[in-house]
Amino acid sequence: MVRDMQPDAARMKAAAGMGYATETDPADWLVRTLKMPYREAHHVTGRIVAKAAQADLPLHKLSLAEMRKIEPRITQAVFGVLPVDRSVASRTSYGGTAPNNVRAQAKKWLKKLASERS
């Protein structure tokens, strides 16, 4: 089944962006940029996500003005962390989703599979 599978990258990216998969990214941004305690950043982000859900919008489509009603110090820069590809790339710790991490793990396991078949 996997051997002849043809992944649809555009469809996979669109599916990954549905819902609020990047909701922790604005919280991390608030901590990093505004030096906000994580507990508070999590609460602020929860309110932003609720506002987006109420408006039936993906997080990156909620306006800066609406976000600023919740946290006035938010800037346009927050939109830089919301795209799925940036969220994925930002996870660089061991086991994270950054492309280099995934490639390294794939290479490791493909090599192990190949050696077991020999």
Side-chain angles (χ1 to χ4, degrees), residues 45-70:
T45 300
R47 291 178 58 211
I48 290 170
V49 169
K51 186 67 146 174
Q54 181 183 21
D56 197 28
L57 293 170
L59 199 51
H60 69 280
K61 295 285 186 180
L62 188 66
S63 72
L64 181 59
E66 288 296 321
M67 289 187 196
R68 283 187 172 158
K69 287 180 184 176
I70 296 165

PDB file of all heavy atoms in Angstrom, residues 45-70:
ATOM      1  N   THR A  45      -4.223  33.461  24.283  1.00  0.00           N
ATOM      2  CA  THR A  45      -4.352  32.698  23.045  1.00  0.00           C
ATOM      3  C   THR A  45      -5.673  31.947  23.002  1.00  0.00           C
ATOM      4  O   THR A  45      -6.324  31.888  21.956  1.00  0.00           O
ATOM      5  CB  THR A  45      -3.168  31.728  22.883  1.00  0.00           C
ATOM      6  OG1 THR A  45      -1.970  32.489  22.857  1.00  0.00           O
ATOM      7  CG2 THR A  45      -3.273  30.925  21.606  1.00  0.00           C
ATOM      8  N   GLY A  46      -6.082  31.408  24.121  1.00  0.00           N
ATOM      9  CA  GLY A  46      -7.375  30.728  24.182  1.00  0.00           C
ATOM     10  C   GLY A  46      -8.518  31.658  23.818  1.00  0.00           C
ATOM     11  O   GLY A  46      -9.452  31.269  23.100  1.00  0.00           O
ATOM     12  N   ARG A  47      -8.452  32.878  24.278  1.00  0.00           N
ATOM     13  CA  ARG A  47      -9.488  33.857  23.944  1.00  0.00           C
ATOM     14  C   ARG A  47      -9.446  34.228  22.460  1.00  0.00           C
ATOM     15  O   ARG A  47     -10.480  34.414  21.827  1.00  0.00           O
ATOM     16  CB  ARG A  47      -9.345  35.098  24.821  1.00  0.00           C
ATOM     17  CG  ARG A  47      -9.703  34.797  26.284  1.00  0.00           C
ATOM     18  CD  ARG A  47      -9.537  35.981  27.213  1.00  0.00           C
ATOM     19  NE  ARG A  47     -10.351  37.105  26.771  1.00  0.00           N
ATOM     20  CZ  ARG A  47     -10.012  38.377  26.974  1.00  0.00           C
ATOM     21  NH1 ARG A  47      -8.898  38.674  27.616  1.00  0.00           N
ATOM     22  NH2 ARG A  47     -10.790  39.348  26.543  1.00  0.00           N
ATOM     23  N   ILE A  48      -8.242  34.316  21.904  1.00  0.00           N
ATOM     24  CA  ILE A  48      -8.091  34.625  20.475  1.00  0.00           C
ATOM     25  C   ILE A  48      -8.649  33.479  19.634  1.00  0.00           C
ATOM     26  O   ILE A  48      -9.383  33.706  18.663  1.00  0.00           O
ATOM     27  CB  ILE A  48      -6.616  34.922  20.123  1.00  0.00           C
ATOM     28  CG1 ILE A  48      -6.206  36.258  20.740  1.00  0.00           C
ATOM     29  CG2 ILE A  48      -6.385  34.913  18.618  1.00  0.00           C
ATOM     30  CD1 ILE A  48      -4.717  36.552  20.670  1.00  0.00           C
ATOM     31  N   VAL A  49      -8.330  32.257  19.997  1.00  0.00           N
ATOM     32  CA  VAL A  49      -8.838  31.085  19.272  1.00  0.00           C
ATOM     33  C   VAL A  49     -10.368  31.033  19.374  1.00  0.00           C
ATOM     34  O   VAL A  49     -11.052  30.774  18.381  1.00  0.00           O
ATOM     35  CB  VAL A  49      -8.200  29.776  19.795  1.00  0.00           C
ATOM     36  CG1 VAL A  49      -8.903  28.546  19.243  1.00  0.00           C
ATOM     37  CG2 VAL A  49      -6.721  29.736  19.439  1.00  0.00           C
ATOM     38  N   ALA A  50     -10.900  31.315  20.554  1.00  0.00           N
ATOM     39  CA  ALA A  50     -12.360  31.319  20.722  1.00  0.00           C
ATOM     40  C   ALA A  50     -13.003  32.377  19.826  1.00  0.00           C
ATOM     41  O   ALA A  50     -14.053  32.128  19.222  1.00  0.00           O
ATOM     42  CB  ALA A  50     -12.718  31.561  22.183  1.00  0.00           C
ATOM     43  N   LYS A  51     -12.369  33.535  19.728  1.00  0.00           N
ATOM     44  CA  LYS A  51     -12.882  34.602  18.865  1.00  0.00           C
ATOM     45  C   LYS A  51     -12.861  34.163  17.399  1.00  0.00           C
ATOM     46  O   LYS A  51     -13.817  34.396  16.660  1.00  0.00           O
ATOM     47  CB  LYS A  51     -12.047  35.867  19.066  1.00  0.00           C
ATOM     48  CG  LYS A  51     -12.548  37.069  18.340  1.00  0.00           C
ATOM     49  CD  LYS A  51     -13.864  37.492  18.942  1.00  0.00           C
ATOM     50  CE  LYS A  51     -14.018  38.986  18.915  1.00  0.00           C
ATOM     51  NZ  LYS A  51     -15.339  39.388  19.369  1.00  0.00           N
ATOM     52  N   ALA A  52     -11.775  33.532  16.984  1.00  0.00           N
ATOM     53  CA  ALA A  52     -11.678  33.042  15.601  1.00  0.00           C
ATOM     54  C   ALA A  52     -12.746  31.978  15.349  1.00  0.00           C
ATOM     55  O   ALA A  52     -13.408  31.992  14.303  1.00  0.00           O
ATOM     56  CB  ALA A  52     -10.284  32.484  15.329  1.00  0.00           C
ATOM     57  N   ALA A  53     -12.940  31.067  16.287  1.00  0.00           N
ATOM     58  CA  ALA A  53     -13.941  30.010  16.136  1.00  0.00           C
ATOM     59  C   ALA A  53     -15.347  30.607  16.074  1.00  0.00           C
ATOM     60  O   ALA A  53     -16.172  30.177  15.261  1.00  0.00           O
ATOM     61  CB  ALA A  53     -13.821  29.012  17.282  1.00  0.00           C
ATOM     62  N   GLN A  54     -15.590  31.590  16.909  1.00  0.00           N
ATOM     63  CA  GLN A  54     -16.900  32.259  16.923  1.00  0.00           C
ATOM     64  C   GLN A  54     -17.181  32.915  15.569  1.00  0.00           C
ATOM     65  O   GLN A  54     -18.302  32.901  15.081  1.00  0.00           O
ATOM     66  CB  GLN A  54     -16.926  33.305  18.033  1.00  0.00           C
ATOM     67  CG  GLN A  54     -18.223  34.064  18.172  1.00  0.00           C
ATOM     68  CD  GLN A  54     -18.142  35.130  19.256  1.00  0.00           C
ATOM     69  OE1 GLN A  54     -17.053  35.575  19.641  1.00  0.00           O
ATOM     70  NE2 GLN A  54     -19.288  35.529  19.751  1.00  0.00           N
ATOM     71  N   ALA A  55     -16.143  33.464  14.958  1.00  0.00           N
ATOM     72  CA  ALA A  55     -16.278  34.114  13.654  1.00  0.00           C
ATOM     73  C   ALA A  55     -16.159  33.113  12.505  1.00  0.00           C
ATOM     74  O   ALA A  55     -16.238  33.496  11.349  1.00  0.00           O
ATOM     75  CB  ALA A  55     -15.216  35.199  13.504  1.00  0.00           C
ATOM     76  N   ASP A  56     -15.943  31.830  12.837  1.00  0.00           N
ATOM     77  CA  ASP A  56     -15.763  30.766  11.852  1.00  0.00           C
ATOM     78  C   ASP A  56     -14.607  31.081  10.901  1.00  0.00           C
ATOM     79  O   ASP A  56     -14.716  30.943   9.684  1.00  0.00           O
ATOM     80  CB  ASP A  56     -17.055  30.518  11.072  1.00  0.00           C
ATOM     81  CG  ASP A  56     -17.039  29.180  10.345  1.00  0.00           C
ATOM     82  OD1 ASP A  56     -16.347  28.253  10.813  1.00  0.00           O
ATOM     83  OD2 ASP A  56     -17.712  29.068   9.297  1.00  0.00           O
ATOM     84  N   LEU A  57     -13.489  31.512  11.507  1.00  0.00           N
ATOM     85  CA  LEU A  57     -12.291  31.865  10.745  1.00  0.00           C
ATOM     86  C   LEU A  57     -11.116  31.026  11.202  1.00  0.00           C
ATOM     87  O   LEU A  57     -10.995  30.719  12.387  1.00  0.00           O
ATOM     88  CB  LEU A  57     -11.918  33.336  10.984  1.00  0.00           C
ATOM     89  CG  LEU A  57     -12.854  34.405  10.464  1.00  0.00           C
ATOM     90  CD1 LEU A  57     -12.431  35.764  11.004  1.00  0.00           C
ATOM     91  CD2 LEU A  57     -12.838  34.409   8.950  1.00  0.00           C
ATOM     92  N   PRO A  58     -10.216  30.700  10.274  1.00  0.00           N
ATOM     93  CA  PRO A  58      -8.949  30.109  10.726  1.00  0.00           C
ATOM     94  C   PRO A  58      -8.183  31.189  11.492  1.00  0.00           C
ATOM     95  O   PRO A  58      -8.400  32.384  11.284  1.00  0.00           O
ATOM     96  CB  PRO A  58      -8.249  29.706   9.436  1.00  0.00           C
ATOM     97  CG  PRO A  58      -8.922  30.439   8.346  1.00  0.00           C
ATOM     98  CD  PRO A  58     -10.283  30.833   8.826  1.00  0.00           C
ATOM     99  N   LEU A  59      -7.319  30.772  12.356  1.00  0.00           N
ATOM    100  CA  LEU A  59      -6.592  31.699  13.227  1.00  0.00           C
ATOM    101  C   LEU A  59      -5.865  32.792  12.449  1.00  0.00           C
ATOM    102  O   LEU A  59      -5.902  33.963  12.828  1.00  0.00           O
ATOM    103  CB  LEU A  59      -5.610  30.894  14.079  1.00  0.00           C
ATOM    104  CG  LEU A  59      -5.071  31.525  15.341  1.00  0.00           C
ATOM    105  CD1 LEU A  59      -6.185  32.062  16.228  1.00  0.00           C
ATOM    106  CD2 LEU A  59      -4.239  30.523  16.106  1.00  0.00           C
ATOM    107  N   HIS A  60      -5.233  32.431  11.352  1.00  0.00           N
ATOM    108  CA  HIS A  60      -4.453  33.420  10.590  1.00  0.00           C
ATOM    109  C   HIS A  60      -5.334  34.417   9.833  1.00  0.00           C
ATOM    110  O   HIS A  60      -4.829  35.396   9.296  1.00  0.00           O
ATOM    111  CB  HIS A  60      -3.474  32.723   9.645  1.00  0.00           C
ATOM    112  CG  HIS A  60      -4.121  32.014   8.513  1.00  0.00           C
ATOM    113  ND1 HIS A  60      -4.679  30.767   8.649  1.00  0.00           N
ATOM    114  CD2 HIS A  60      -4.303  32.372   7.224  1.00  0.00           C
ATOM    115  CE1 HIS A  60      -5.182  30.386   7.489  1.00  0.00           C
ATOM    116  NE2 HIS A  60      -4.966  31.343   6.607  1.00  0.00           N
ATOM    117  N   LYS A  61      -6.650  34.194   9.817  1.00  0.00           N
ATOM    118  CA  LYS A  61      -7.563  35.119   9.131  1.00  0.00           C
ATOM    119  C   LYS A  61      -8.248  36.085  10.102  1.00  0.00           C
ATOM    120  O   LYS A  61      -8.927  37.016   9.682  1.00  0.00           O
ATOM    121  CB  LYS A  61      -8.635  34.352   8.356  1.00  0.00           C
ATOM    122  CG  LYS A  61      -8.093  33.525   7.220  1.00  0.00           C
ATOM    123  CD  LYS A  61      -7.703  34.385   6.066  1.00  0.00           C
ATOM    124  CE  LYS A  61      -7.297  33.515   4.880  1.00  0.00           C
ATOM    125  NZ  LYS A  61      -6.912  34.288   3.736  1.00  0.00           N
ATOM    126  N   LEU A  62      -8.078  35.865  11.399  1.00  0.00           N
ATOM    127  CA  LEU A  62      -8.621  36.800  12.381  1.00  0.00           C
ATOM    128  C   LEU A  62      -7.818  38.090  12.277  1.00  0.00           C
ATOM    129  O   LEU A  62      -6.592  38.055  12.204  1.00  0.00           O
ATOM    130  CB  LEU A  62      -8.528  36.219  13.794  1.00  0.00           C
ATOM    131  CG  LEU A  62      -9.243  37.013  14.885  1.00  0.00           C
ATOM    132  CD1 LEU A  62     -10.756  36.989  14.671  1.00  0.00           C
ATOM    133  CD2 LEU A  62      -8.906  36.437  16.255  1.00  0.00           C
ATOM    134  N   SER A  63      -8.489  39.221  12.276  1.00  0.00           N
ATOM    135  CA  SER A  63      -7.789  40.492  12.066  1.00  0.00           C
ATOM    136  C   SER A  63      -6.941  40.883  13.274  1.00  0.00           C
ATOM    137  O   SER A  63      -7.218  40.481  14.414  1.00  0.00           O
ATOM    138  CB  SER A  63      -8.793  41.609  11.783  1.00  0.00           C
ATOM    139  OG  SER A  63      -9.501  41.946  12.968  1.00  0.00           O
ATOM    140  N   LEU A  64      -5.943  41.668  12.993  1.00  0.00           N
ATOM    141  CA  LEU A  64      -5.092  42.205  14.054  1.00  0.00           C
ATOM    142  C   LEU A  64      -5.939  43.032  15.017  1.00  0.00           C
ATOM    143  O   LEU A  64      -5.744  42.970  16.233  1.00  0.00           O
ATOM    144  CB  LEU A  64      -3.960  43.043  13.455  1.00  0.00           C
ATOM    145  CG  LEU A  64      -2.975  43.656  14.439  1.00  0.00           C
ATOM    146  CD1 LEU A  64      -2.292  42.583  15.282  1.00  0.00           C
ATOM    147  CD2 LEU A  64      -1.942  44.491  13.690  1.00  0.00           C
ATOM    148  N   ALA A  65      -6.883  43.783  14.489  1.00  0.00           N
ATOM    149  CA  ALA A  65      -7.761  44.600  15.336  1.00  0.00           C
ATOM    150  C   ALA A  65      -8.522  43.728  16.336  1.00  0.00           C
ATOM    151  O   ALA A  65      -8.642  44.088  17.515  1.00  0.00           O
ATOM    152  CB  ALA A  65      -8.728  45.403  14.475  1.00  0.00           C
ATOM    153  N   GLU A  66      -9.027  42.582  15.884  1.00  0.00           N
ATOM    154  CA  GLU A  66      -9.753  41.677  16.786  1.00  0.00           C
ATOM    155  C   GLU A  66      -8.812  41.100  17.841  1.00  0.00           C
ATOM    156  O   GLU A  66      -9.177  40.967  19.005  1.00  0.00           O
ATOM    157  CB  GLU A  66     -10.434  40.557  16.002  1.00  0.00           C
ATOM    158  CG  GLU A  66     -11.633  41.015  15.209  1.00  0.00           C
ATOM    159  CD  GLU A  66     -12.772  41.537  16.086  1.00  0.00           C
ATOM    160  OE1 GLU A  66     -13.034  40.966  17.159  1.00  0.00           O
ATOM    161  OE2 GLU A  66     -13.396  42.542  15.673  1.00  0.00           O
ATOM    162  N   MET A  67      -7.603  40.742  17.424  1.00  0.00           N
ATOM    163  CA  MET A  67      -6.632  40.224  18.389  1.00  0.00           C
ATOM    164  C   MET A  67      -6.273  41.293  19.412  1.00  0.00           C
ATOM    165  O   MET A  67      -6.137  41.002  20.602  1.00  0.00           O
ATOM    166  CB  MET A  67      -5.371  39.727  17.671  1.00  0.00           C
ATOM    167  CG  MET A  67      -5.570  38.470  16.883  1.00  0.00           C
ATOM    168  SD  MET A  67      -3.967  37.901  16.256  1.00  0.00           S
ATOM    169  CE  MET A  67      -4.506  36.757  15.004  1.00  0.00           C
ATOM    170  N   ARG A  68      -6.136  42.533  18.959  1.00  0.00           N
ATOM    171  CA  ARG A  68      -5.766  43.627  19.862  1.00  0.00           C
ATOM    172  C   ARG A  68      -6.870  43.965  20.857  1.00  0.00           C
ATOM    173  O   ARG A  68      -6.591  44.552  21.903  1.00  0.00           O
ATOM    174  CB  ARG A  68      -5.375  44.864  19.063  1.00  0.00           C
ATOM    175  CG  ARG A  68      -3.988  44.751  18.490  1.00  0.00           C
ATOM    176  CD  ARG A  68      -3.564  46.044  17.849  1.00  0.00           C
ATOM    177  NE  ARG A  68      -2.165  45.988  17.473  1.00  0.00           N
ATOM    178  CZ  ARG A  68      -1.626  46.751  16.557  1.00  0.00           C
ATOM    179  NH1 ARG A  68      -2.360  47.654  15.915  1.00  0.00           N
ATOM    180  NH2 ARG A  68      -0.352  46.641  16.266  1.00  0.00           N
ATOM    181  N   LYS A  69      -8.101  43.610  20.559  1.00  0.00           N
ATOM    182  CA  LYS A  69      -9.182  43.790  21.535  1.00  0.00           C
ATOM    183  C   LYS A  69      -8.946  42.882  22.739  1.00  0.00           C
ATOM    184  O   LYS A  69      -9.371  43.189  23.841  1.00  0.00           O
ATOM    185  CB  LYS A  69     -10.543  43.475  20.908  1.00  0.00           C
ATOM    186  CG  LYS A  69     -11.026  44.525  19.938  1.00  0.00           C
ATOM    187  CD  LYS A  69     -12.372  44.135  19.353  1.00  0.00           C
ATOM    188  CE  LYS A  69     -12.818  45.125  18.301  1.00  0.00           C
ATOM    189  NZ  LYS A  69     -14.089  44.708  17.657  1.00  0.00           N
ATOM    190  N   ILE A  70      -8.258  41.785  22.496  1.00  0.00           N
ATOM    191  CA  ILE A  70      -7.954  40.829  23.562  1.00  0.00           C
ATOM    192  C   ILE A  70      -6.616  41.157  24.212  1.00  0.00           C
ATOM    193  O   ILE A  70      -6.492  41.130  25.430  1.00  0.00           O
ATOM    194  CB  ILE A  70      -7.967  39.392  22.987  1.00  0.00           C
ATOM    195  CG1 ILE A  70      -9.387  39.078  22.504  1.00  0.00           C
ATOM    196  CG2 ILE A  70      -7.472  38.380  24.005  1.00  0.00           C
ATOM    197  CD1 ILE A  70      -9.494  37.880  21.602  1.00  0.00           C
TER     198      ILE A  70
END
